[in-house]
Amino acid sequence: MTESLVKIRNLSKLYPTGGGGFLALSELDLDIPSGAFMGLVGPSGSGKTTLLNIIGTLDNQSGGEIEVLGHKVSTLDAKESAALRAEKIGFIFQSYNLLPVYTVYENVELPLLLLKMPKAQRHEAVMQALTWVGITDKRKSRPNQLSGGEGQRVSIARAMVKLPQLVLADEPTANLDTENSLNILDTMLQINKDTGTTFIFATHDQKVIDYMQRVVTLIDGKKAKDDLKTGS
Amino acid sequence: MLKFVIKGLIRDRSRSFFPVLIVTAGVLVTVFLIAFMSGYIESMVRQNARFDTGHLKIVTNAYAEKISQKPYDLGFIETEAEFQQWKEDFPSVRWTPRIYFGALMDVPDDEGNTVEQGDVFGMAIDFSDPSAVQDIHLNEALIQGRIPEAAGEILLSEELFSKLQLELDSTVTLLGSTLYGAMSFRNYIISGTVSFGVHALDRGGIVTDIEDARAFLDMPGGASEYFGFLPSMVYDDDAVQEIKQEFNAKYNDEDDFSPQMLALTDQNDMGFMLQYMGFALGLITVVFVLIIGIVLWNAGLLNSIRRYGEFGLRLAMGERKHHLYNWLLVEALAIGVVGSLIGAALGMGVIQYFHVHGFNFGVFTQDTSMMVENIIYTNLELKNLLLGIIPGLVSTVLGAMLAGIGIFHRNTAKLFKELET
Ligand SMILES: Nc1ncnc2c1ncn2[C@@H]1O[C@H](COP(=O)(O)OP(=O)(O)OP(=O)(O)O)[C@@H](O)[C@H]1O
Ligand SMILES: [Mg+2]
């Protein structure tokens, strides 16, 4: 039995709004084992991003319990959750969010700078990450000189460079065409196999869903389905 | 991380070029204003000291009370021995006698009939003392002719001289009253003309030797005022106040004709002026800090809207808010340093230029009674450059702090939300 990397019990999230608040997540139970390659799916507004943000300690839950990488999120203070994110969680966004004034290399290097890693070690890690996503030849380019697929590769390299235990990817293929989508999915699956890093996706892209070993469907903030596929 | 931040600054022109430009311009203006104002103040102090107040002066109690009227009839007579004593007591100050007086000048024709008549303002100095001549920059002020060498020779203001269409070496008659109120008149030969750049004197002034004035006004061995100058010729209020207190403690008593020492700051509201100018300099600096600070604050806010993506990303990557904030301040400081240095360097160039060439302010000082030189030289002092640079740094950091607080107040999730689009 694999130990749970993420453990969620009766989780709820209430966004404060004018009329008493909006319940974006409720009665949610979920266990995600280490090494998973899984997707959160569901219609727009079903709470995928909300859940991903809570798992990523970027947002607080309103009720229930959530444990991430062995830490009870509700008991972490700002410093501890920042440290957890810095060391163990990588993020991939729909719009890549590469910093335009920095080169590909520098963008990937940033998480390591924040970890105060020595330069030689940093160089090695950055080159490794760029190799994984097959983009070493573009390391001196600026983000605006990259294609969409290349941009998302860089953002995968940036998420992977610190060898996190958990990568959270919110709609990573939404801005990509089919070929590029499949490409980066292959890349991530390979990394998942090579490193054992856990990937959690939020998506409604069927191409992505096809790659998932497990698909959790959310509807109106509740878990509607939890499908485990065999093989992939 | 510093390298990373600096790279970002240099590559993103809207993050560096525009703010640096603001700071540069602000520092340039401030440095220049400060240099100009302190040049102006120094000029004012100098002019007042030379022509009106000295760094120190000794007058009688009675004279001091009506000092603005310059009542020579309340001045000293036969005070040579005392004057010697004062000089010995206070050797760190250079002392020189003066008499200021008013008279009527009569310009006669060949037959001795009056052609023109007018009020003149007389300033008598000790021509035998080269320092006293230098005190009022007489050699520089001389327009035509020469400085009096013999008794009975005077200098006349160039303005009056040309207005009355006089000639050098012609004779004029001064009509006045003696210390005792008796009528007095004397003939003088105009040996030269002067222009001091001090309007009151240039309008209708004469300069005579102190001995001539003593004879004319019946003030043997006297003076209306004894001027004292610090040897450096730079006014130093602390030193002056100390001397003044010592003198007054020793010599001043209740008697109307007892000597009393006055400092430059006791006269012509100079003390107030100096304080006021100091205050104005402070105010310029504060206003500069506020204006530039507000501009940079807004620039910083606009900039951070553009950079929300970056901030959210960095927070998501586990950077702490205060860490991010501190780096924003470092960015601001870098901009402040660069902008201030450029501004100060440019300012120094401009100041240097006007330090050498000066501003001709004659047009503006024409109608005021303010004692300021017609040409103002900016004051080239390191201290003034620093006074401009420090607010350059303060305002950038202040602007960044205010802008940063705006970011600080957003919670991580919200910043992060803005990442999603
Ligand atoms: N800050 C907020 N304040 C109030 N309501 C919010 C806030 N953020 C999200 N919501 C609401 O919560 C619900 C879930 O939002 P969420 O972004 O998690 O959906 P999602 O499943 O990621 O949708 P999509 O597929 O469109 O990205 C939505 O109805 C949304 O309007
Ligand atoms: Mg979403």
Side-chain angles (χ1 to χ4, degrees):
Chain A
M1 189 207 104
T2 7
E3 199 202 323
S4 281
L5 201 78
V6 179
K7 198 157 138 189
I8 293 169
R9 293 288 175 274
N10 194 27
L11 187 76
S12 65
K13 174 69 186 180
L14 187 74
Y15 283 117
T17 56
F22 179 83
L23 197 59
L25 292 174
S26 63
E27 298 166 26
L28 196 71
D29 292 317
L30 195 59
D31 283 277
I32 301 171
S34 184
F37 199 75
M38 65 161 292
L40 302 171
V41 304
S44 185
S46 57
K48 305 181 292 293
T49 298
T50 302
L51 180 55
L52 224 47
N53 284 349
I54 293 174
I55 296 173
T57 74
L58 296 171
D59 206 352
N60 305 314
Q61 78 257 42
S62 310
E65 283 296 338
I66 172 164
E67 238 179 79
V68 177
L69 298 159
H71 300 273
K72 251 195 180 142
V73 173
S74 57
T75 64
L76 295 178
D77 61 21
K79 188 179 168 185
E80 289 161 338
S81 64
L84 186 68
R85 288 199 301 274
E87 288 161 23
K88 298 186 173 154
I89 304 176
F91 293 91
I92 296 170
F93 309 99
Q94 174 179 337
S95 50
Y96 330 141
N97 283 301
L98 299 175
L99 304 183
V101 298
Y102 297 103
T103 62
V104 164
Y105 185 96
E106 288 159 354
N107 266 283
V108 176
E109 191 185 20
L110 177 58
L112 305 181
L113 284 175
L114 293 175
L115 286 173
K116 299 195 167 68
M117 186 184 278
K119 187 171 176 166
Q121 230 176 307
R122 236 160 44 212
H123 180 73
E124 203 175 313
V126 172
M127 291 313 287
Q128 171 68 70
L130 291 175
T131 309
W132 273 332
V133 298
I135 205 158
T136 42
D137 54 327
K138 297 268 174 163
R139 65 183 179 279
K140 292 197 173 117
S141 306
R142 295 280 188 83
N144 61 8
Q145 299 164 326
L146 302 175
S147 72
E150 288 166 340
Q152 195 58 300
R153 282 167 185 285
V154 176
S155 91
I156 293 168
R158 181 179 58 191
M160 283 311 301
V161 71
K162 60 193 177 190
L163 301 175
Q165 293 184 26
L166 177 62
V167 171
L168 303 173
D170 196 354
E171 320 263 12
T173 58
N175 290 342
L176 298 179
D177 58 25
T178 307
E179 193 190 330
N180 273 309
S181 299
L182 298 179
N183 244 323
I184 71 140
L185 282 164
D186 280 332
T187 304
M188 287 191 275
L189 189 58
Q190 194 59 48
I191 291 171
N192 166 260
K193 279 181 178 152
D194 292 348
T195 64
T197 305
T198 306
F199 280 80
I200 305 175
F201 293 82
T203 188
H204 34 220
D205 180 349
Q206 192 54 46
K207 296 185 293 290
V208 178
I209 296 168
D210 291 343
Y211 267 77
M212 298 296 127
Q213 297 152 351
R214 179 182 172 194
V215 177
V216 172
T217 308
L218 296 179
I219 290 175
D220 292 338
K222 291 197 169 83
K223 187 164 80 176
K225 265 201 286 185
D226 191 345
D227 298 321
L228 204 59
K229 294 188 224 164
T230 43
S232 65
Chain B
M1 193 75 196
L2 180 65
K3 240 169 108 184
F4 179 85
V5 167
I6 298 294
K7 271 186 213 160
L9 263 185
I10 293 171
R11 291 181 196 164
D12 187 351
R13 273 162 53 98
S14 71
R15 219 184 287 177
S16 48
F17 181 73
F18 177 58
V20 163
L21 208 67
I22 298 169
V23 178
T24 297
V27 169
L28 177 62
V29 169
T30 310
V31 160
F32 180 75
L33 274 181
I34 290 176
F36 177 76
M37 281 194 65
S38 61
Y40 188 90
I41 294 169
E42 278 182 13
S43 164
M44 199 170 71
V45 168
R46 234 177 0 242
Q47 284 299 73
N48 273 276
R50 278 181 198 148
F51 294 105
D52 210 15
T53 64
H55 290 156
L56 285 160
K57 69 167 60 157
I58 304 169
V59 295
T60 66
N61 280 342
Y63 189 93
E65 263 181 39
K66 298 179 179 167
I67 195 157
S68 62
Q69 300 166 21
K70 303 207 181 295
Y72 61 89
D73 54 329
L74 300 174
F76 296 107
I77 42 168
E78 283 160 356
T79 40
E80 282 130 322
E82 287 91 334
F83 185 47
Q84 276 311 319
Q85 185 59 48
W86 299 338
K87 283 207 255 190
E88 276 166 38
D89 284 355
F90 298 95
S92 65
V93 179
R94 187 168 52 69
W95 297 101
T96 184
R98 288 204 191 171
I99 299 175
Y100 292 96
F101 62 97
L104 196 66
M105 189 173 75
D106 187 288
V107 182
D109 63 12
D110 293 343
E111 276 121 48
N113 297 320
T114 299
V115 182
E116 296 267 7
Q117 241 183 22
D119 286 319
V120 290
F121 174 65
M123 177 168 67
I125 66 161
D126 185 358
F127 278 131
S128 69
D129 174 2
S131 302
V133 173
Q134 177 54 29
D135 282 340
I136 56 171
H137 286 205
L138 201 53
N139 288 306
E140 290 85 339
L142 194 68
I143 305 287
Q144 302 181 48
R146 56 179 173 76
I147 290 173
E149 286 155 5
E153 292 184 336
I154 58 166
L155 295 169
L156 185 62
S157 96
E158 169 69 22
E159 202 180 313
L160 192 60
F161 182 83
S162 53
K163 199 169 92 188
L164 299 180
Q165 293 175 317
L166 295 174
E167 278 164 36
L168 287 182
D169 296 322
S170 61
T171 302
V172 293
T173 308
L174 287 191
L175 298 146
S177 62
T178 70
L179 181 93
Y180 305 101
M183 167 101 152
S184 167
F185 57 92
R186 260 182 152 223
N187 285 339
Y188 289 91
I189 292 168
I190 301 167
S191 74
T193 67
V194 284
S195 174
F196 289 106
V198 174
H199 204 61
L201 277 174
D202 289 343
R203 200 162 32 206
I206 57 172
V207 184
T208 85
D209 184 56
I210 188 102
E211 286 305 336
D212 270 351
R214 282 169 176 162
F216 177 59
L217 303 170
D218 201 0
M219 295 173 69
S224 62
E225 311 183 350
Y226 290 102
F227 271 43
F229 291 99
L230 298 174
S232 67
M233 286 312 278
V234 176
Y235 184 71
D236 173 355
D237 198 51
D238 291 342
V240 158
Q241 292 298 341
E242 204 174 300
I243 294 165
K244 177 182 116 180
Q245 259 150 38
E246 198 184 327
F247 181 94
N248 286 339
K250 193 164 171 188
Y251 292 111
N252 185 241
D253 61 35
E254 304 278 276
D255 189 82
D256 268 358
F257 290 93
S258 156
Q260 180 185 353
M261 195 178 276
L262 300 173
L264 174 136
T265 44
D266 299 331
Q267 307 167 58
N268 288 3
D269 289 328
M270 284 299 282
F272 170 75
M273 279 302 250
L274 288 185
Q275 262 183 344
Y276 175 78
M277 288 292 189
F279 173 74
L281 282 184
L283 199 68
I284 289 179
T285 315
V286 169
V287 165
F288 164 77
V289 167
L290 285 182
I291 292 176
I292 302 294
I294 288 169
V295 172
L296 289 174
W297 171 22
N298 281 292
L301 279 180
L302 283 178
N303 222 333
S304 48
I305 289 169
R306 253 179 7 105
R307 291 174 71 192
Y308 266 149
E310 175 185 343
F311 299 148
L313 180 82
R314 284 166 65 172
L315 292 174
M317 282 179 179
E319 187 167 358
R320 301 292 311 282
K321 267 185 188 171
H322 62 80
H323 188 259
L324 191 67
Y325 187 70
N326 290 346
W327 279 112
L328 284 183
L329 296 190
V330 169
E331 282 187 19
L333 201 64
I335 283 162
V337 168
V338 172
S340 297
L341 289 182
I342 298 175
L346 291 179
M348 199 151 99
V350 178
I351 293 166
Q352 172 68 38
Y353 179 85
F354 287 108
H355 185 62
V356 174
H357 299 278
F359 277 104
N360 196 334
F361 256 71
V363 198
F364 302 111
T365 50
Q366 204 101 122
D367 299 320
T368 67
S369 57
M370 288 266 272
M371 283 242 195
V372 185
E373 289 152 308
N374 281 339
I375 297 183
I376 303 294
Y377 296 91
T378 48
N379 186 343
L380 187 67
E381 263 190 87
L382 196 64
K383 187 188 76 190
N384 293 339
L385 280 182
L386 285 181
L387 277 178
I389 290 175
I390 291 168
L393 298 183
V394 171
S395 58
T396 41
V397 172
L398 194 80
M401 275 168 78
L402 290 175
I405 286 170
I407 304 165
F408 233 129
H409 275 170
R410 293 187 157 245
N411 63 43
T412 320
K414 262 211 187 115
L415 262 173
F416 199 66
K417 271 254 140 51
E418 279 150 39
L419 274 179
E420 288 166 29
T421 46

